[in-house]
Amino acid sequence: MRLSIRYAFDAHLHLRRGDMLRRVLPQTLPWCDRALVMPNTDPPILTAQDAEAYRQEILAAGRSNFEVLMTIKLVPSTTPKIIREARAANVLAGKYYPKNTTTNSADGVEDIHSLYPVFEAMEEIGMVLCLHGEMPNTCCLDSEVKFLGTLKALANDFPRLKIVMEHISTEAAVRTVKRLPDTVAATITPHHLFLTIDDVCGGKLHPHQFCKPVPKRRPDREALIDAAMSGNPKFFLGTDSAPHPQSMKECAEGAPGIFNAPVALPLLAQRFEEEDDRAFPQLLEDFTSRFGAQFYNLTLNQRFLVIERSPWKVPLEYDGIVPFKAGETIPWKLA
Amino acid sequence: MRLSIRYAFDAHLHLRRGDMLRRVLPQTLPWCDRALVMPNTDPPILTAQDAEAYRQEILAAGRSNFEVLMTIKLVPSTTPKIIREARAANVLAGKYYPKNTTTNSADGVEDIHSLYPVFEAMEEIGMVLCLHGEMPNTCCLDSEVKFLGTLKALANDFPRLKIVMEHISTEAAVRTVKRLPDTVAATITPHHLFLTIDDVCGGKLHPHQFCKPVPKRRPDREALIDAAMSGNPKFFLGTDSAPHPQSMKECAEGAPGIFNAPVALPLLAQRFEEEDDRAFPQLLEDFTSRFGAQFYNLTLNQRFLVIERSPWKVPLEYDGIVPFKAGETIPWKLA
């Protein structure tokens, strides 16, 4: 079986910089026409200038018709002026990281209320707020659920601010996003449709299945699959593909992040087909291309690629980076 | 501060065999006078003969006044005859592992009821039943709690069988063991008094803090500390010190098990003192030496060692094995 499908919009992508950028971007280009690129690089993307320099670096490593959508990182020193300048330079979103919750977040925000003037500016000029929605200093199993009160408060306090709760991992987050106004959406990763906590630290410890937020229980995974396939435009793809060198994963203190770019679309096709073999092509395209574009006010991608149901073995590594499902045989591939 | 304390009885110890045995045993001998040695070696200890050969191997690697107490592994092929022969050869306990729950448990038991004739024989001749109390094919966060029904059934069905629920990790297990008759006890590890799930897969992934059962939440850890310090003789030390070569921990599929032998007693002194700086010496000795000996009908150890409150930095490795708290400075040490 072959399927012609629109190129995807990856609404949550880590491309890193320099050498790492050049190693990982080629795995996104074959199936992705545009991506919203995360700003937690080292050093971070904090201003219009940073974003423009980073955009040029990505374009130079990429392809002329690959649309690079930029974000800046919201840190304690971010001001409304920085926001306005960034928006004028075509930065689409600002990303909130609670302090010390994920890769390169030591400069994150301790009190989200300190960012309220920044959120006001974002609301006024139409910049999207992307949230790493985990409550700091909270058990990793509960941190997303405990953050949902903050999400509700933000939606209430900034009724015209567009908000994306990124990489949701719980049934409770699905329910909350559904109930909130249409200004609030969520991204879902491919790996959260496959993993539970047992795949991280059940029988064995699996660094290449370790990410933030940590995968939860089966009912959470089921709720995410249902949401991704519901046709509800609040839920769309953000791969959160997050590469680390093998040596940073297989060590005494493994970094969170799953490099899924080489397998994201094939895995989504697999999961969607398993759940609904008749409706899945349309549901898949809506999830990977349409709903994200709608939320970010982008025109719909007009290029198509072909994927086919033809088993292939995922390579053990891509240039020193171990991908999700390394060494496993999966049923769909890019044609 | 210096403290004279009885040598400990480690009621749950993995010594492995051959080269590994010779590398790890020296870390137990300085503070431990006797240990109940677990049978999930490769190959496993299944019979009186296996146990005797293993005992001789340990004695040869050990010290003349180190008392080696043996267990056999209960597998589908275990018979009442095997039990009787083992008991006659001075094997103290039989260890039940559910299939595929921990290191070398692929030959474990699928249906615990199939072992009922074996449990009857154990009850009759006074052999202790040690349980790896996790329900197979269950989320690692819930598997111990889901096993508690089995524990209650065993206590009810075999009222004279002595049962030890090993390495308990949850508040629910503490409560259940307390409520059951005096035939039921539990071991507690030093690491479960220090870790929560966040130390395994919170911010970073920590293979040297990964064990089975996986550490749970803070209230669970608090309940374990309370139980260990309660003076209730149902709760006693089993370190579950479980060495793996560094390469088996820092890899794509890390093995469960924490090598805590070098730090077990110092860490217990630290935790007990933090919780109750006046009563802790007696509570500590009861937990490490007395209550386990009582349960197993052993005479009390009569040798003493000295520990002192004097900070030391835990080595990064012991002959290729990374210990618990490697590289950290801890307040107590063996004098």
Side-chain angles (χ1 to χ4, degrees):
Chain A
M1 182 177 174
R2 290 166 72 91
L3 200 64
S4 175
I5 185 171
R6 271 174 219 278
Y7 270 70
F9 166 35
D10 184 350
H12 188 123
L13 179 60
H14 297 275
L15 285 175
R16 316 302 189 200
R17 305 199 73 158
D19 174 55
M20 186 58 110
L21 165 64
R22 285 185 294 276
R23 285 151 79 189
V24 301
L25 183 54
Q27 299 308 322
T28 289
L29 295 177
W31 61 278
C32 215
D33 230 6
R34 52 167 60 126
L36 187 70
V37 182
M38 291 297 116
N40 61 332
T41 48
D42 181 20
I45 308 303
L46 299 177
T47 66
Q49 276 184 309
D50 295 341
E52 186 52 28
Y54 188 24
R55 202 172 74 90
Q56 292 304 328
E57 188 186 349
I58 298 168
L59 287 174
R63 189 182 65 199
S64 60
N65 55 0
F66 177 65
E67 195 178 354
V68 183
L69 306 169
M70 302 308 297
T71 60
I72 58 169
K73 192 174 182 177
L74 306 178
V75 293
S77 59
T78 306
T79 61
K81 179 165 175 286
I82 288 173
I83 294 295
R84 287 194 195 92
E85 288 169 0
R87 189 70 194 95
N90 215 20
V91 168
L92 229 58
K95 176 79 185 279
Y96 162 81
Y97 293 95
K99 195 176 169 78
N100 295 329
T101 45
T102 189
T103 302
N104 298 334
S105 65
D107 59 353
V109 178
E110 284 199 87
D111 175 14
I112 197 166
H113 291 94
S114 68
L115 285 178
Y116 265 42
V118 165
F119 297 155
E120 270 171 39
M122 292 171 74
E123 181 178 42
E124 193 188 314
I125 62 179
M127 190 188 279
V128 173
L129 172 62
C130 297
L131 299 171
H132 182 111
E134 288 194 284
M135 185 69 84
N137 307 317
T138 307
C139 177
C140 63
L141 302 172
D142 308 322
S143 53
E144 181 173 286
V145 174
K146 296 230 164 133
F147 186 84
L148 295 174
T150 303
L151 175 65
K152 288 182 215 168
L154 288 171
N156 187 61
D157 294 344
F158 301 96
R160 291 173 301 113
L161 178 63
K162 282 193 167 182
I163 301 173
V164 182
M165 180 85 172
E166 302 287 344
H167 45 53
I168 55 172
S169 66
T170 58
E171 188 178 10
V174 169
R175 250 185 290 126
T176 301
V177 169
K178 269 191 193 157
R179 277 202 304 252
L180 286 170
D182 288 344
T183 47
V184 178
T187 54
I188 297 176
T189 77
H191 48 270
H192 282 101
L193 302 186
F194 280 81
L195 302 176
T196 69
I197 186 76
D198 284 309
D199 299 301
V200 180
C201 64
K204 301 271 186 162
L205 199 69
H206 289 115
H208 303 298
Q209 299 181 154
F210 171 54
C211 61
K212 299 278 291 180
V214 78
K216 309 295 189 305
R217 295 157 194 263
R218 280 188 188 209
D220 296 301
R221 185 178 61 181
E222 299 306 312
L224 295 170
I225 294 171
D226 287 351
M229 297 187 64
S230 64
N232 184 333
K234 281 169 161 279
F235 300 101
F236 48 84
L237 173 64
T239 64
D240 196 16
S241 186
H244 293 282
Q246 187 167 5
S247 60
M248 299 273 286
K249 298 288 282 179
E250 301 177 16
C251 60
E253 201 171 68
I258 292 176
F259 179 50
N260 63 29
V263 292
L265 191 57
L267 286 180
L268 289 170
Q270 173 188 344
R271 183 94 311 170
F272 276 53
E273 186 187 28
E274 283 165 359
E275 296 289 322
D276 186 340
D277 62 355
R278 293 207 303 189
F280 90 94
Q282 187 59 51
L283 293 173
L284 180 61
E285 189 176 285
D286 287 348
F287 179 72
T288 58
S289 304
R290 190 181 307 264
F291 294 155
Q294 282 175 10
F295 190 84
Y296 278 96
N297 281 330
L298 307 169
T299 57
L300 198 57
N301 284 6
Q302 293 304 337
R303 290 175 65 227
F304 288 77
L305 76 146
V306 174
I307 60 176
E308 60 178 326
R309 197 176 337 88
S310 167
W312 65 295
K313 195 173 164 191
V314 180
L316 293 174
E317 55 157 329
Y318 287 85
D319 207 359
I321 306 154
V322 177
F324 188 45
K325 298 283 178 191
E328 293 185 38
T329 297
I330 63 176
W332 284 85
K333 72 173 178 186
L334 309 180
Chain B
M1 181 176 176
R2 290 167 70 91
L3 199 64
S4 176
I5 184 171
R6 272 175 219 278
Y7 270 69
F9 166 36
D10 185 348
H12 187 123
L13 178 61
H14 296 274
L15 285 176
R16 315 302 190 200
R17 306 199 73 159
D19 175 55
M20 186 59 111
L21 165 65
R22 286 186 293 275
R23 284 148 83 190
V24 301
L25 183 54
Q27 298 309 321
T28 289
L29 295 177
W31 61 278
C32 216
D33 230 4
R34 53 165 62 126
L36 187 69
V37 181
M38 291 298 117
N40 61 332
T41 48
D42 182 18
I45 308 304
L46 299 178
T47 64
Q49 275 183 308
D50 295 341
E52 186 51 28
Y54 189 23
R55 202 173 74 92
Q56 291 305 328
E57 187 185 349
I58 299 167
L59 287 175
R63 194 183 61 201
S64 61
N65 55 359
F66 176 65
E67 193 178 355
V68 183
L69 306 169
M70 302 310 296
T71 60
I72 58 168
K73 191 173 180 178
L74 306 179
V75 293
S77 59
T78 307
T79 60
K81 178 165 177 283
I82 288 174
I83 294 295
R84 287 195 195 93
E85 287 169 1
R87 188 70 194 94
N90 214 20
V91 169
L92 230 55
K95 176 79 184 280
Y96 162 81
Y97 294 94
K99 195 176 169 75
N100 294 327
T101 45
T102 190
T103 303
N104 298 336
S105 64
D107 58 354
V109 178
E110 284 199 88
D111 175 14
I112 197 166
H113 291 94
S114 67
L115 286 177
Y116 265 40
V118 165
F119 297 156
E120 269 170 40
M122 293 171 73
E123 183 178 42
E124 191 188 316
I125 60 181
M127 190 188 281
V128 173
L129 172 62
C130 297
L131 299 171
H132 182 111
E134 287 194 285
M135 185 69 84
N137 306 316
T138 307
C139 177
C140 63
L141 303 171
D142 308 322
S143 53
E144 181 173 286
V145 174
K146 295 230 165 134
F147 186 84
L148 295 174
T150 302
L151 175 65
K152 287 182 218 171
L154 288 171
N156 187 60
D157 294 344
F158 301 96
R160 291 174 299 115
L161 178 65
K162 283 194 167 183
I163 301 173
V164 182
M165 178 85 173
E166 302 288 342
H167 45 53
I168 55 171
S169 67
T170 59
E171 189 178 10
V174 169
R175 249 184 291 124
T176 300
V177 169
K178 270 190 194 158
R179 276 202 305 253
L180 286 170
D182 288 345
T183 46
V184 177
T187 54
I188 298 176
T189 77
H191 49 270
H192 281 102
L193 302 184
F194 280 81
L195 302 176
T196 69
I197 185 75
D198 284 310
D199 299 300
V200 181
C201 64
K204 301 270 187 163
L205 199 69
H206 289 113
H208 303 298
Q209 298 180 156
F210 171 53
C211 61
K212 301 275 293 178
V214 77
K216 308 296 190 304
R217 294 157 195 264
R218 279 188 188 211
D220 296 301
R221 185 178 61 183
E222 299 308 312
L224 294 170
I225 294 170
D226 287 350
M229 298 187 65
S230 64
N232 184 332
K234 280 169 163 279
F235 300 100
F236 48 84
L237 174 64
T239 64
D240 195 14
S241 185
H244 293 281
Q246 187 167 4
S247 60
M248 300 273 287
K249 299 287 282 177
E250 301 178 15
C251 60
E253 202 171 68
I258 293 175
F259 180 51
N260 65 29
V263 292
L265 190 58
L267 286 180
L268 289 170
Q270 174 188 345
R271 183 91 315 166
F272 275 54
E273 186 187 27
E274 283 165 359
E275 297 290 322
D276 186 340
D277 62 355
R278 292 208 302 192
F280 90 94
Q282 187 59 51
L283 293 173
L284 181 62
E285 190 177 284
D286 287 347
F287 179 72
T288 58
S289 305
R290 189 179 308 263
F291 294 156
Q294 282 175 9
F295 189 84
Y296 278 95
N297 282 330
L298 307 169
T299 57
L300 199 58
N301 285 6
Q302 293 304 338
R303 292 175 64 225
F304 288 76
L305 75 149
V306 174
I307 60 176
E308 63 179 323
R309 200 183 326 91
S310 167
W312 65 295
K313 195 174 164 190
V314 180
L316 293 176
E317 55 158 329
Y318 288 85
D319 205 0
I321 306 155
V322 177
F324 189 45
K325 299 283 179 192
E328 292 184 39
T329 297
I330 64 176
W332 284 85
K333 71 173 178 187
L334 309 180

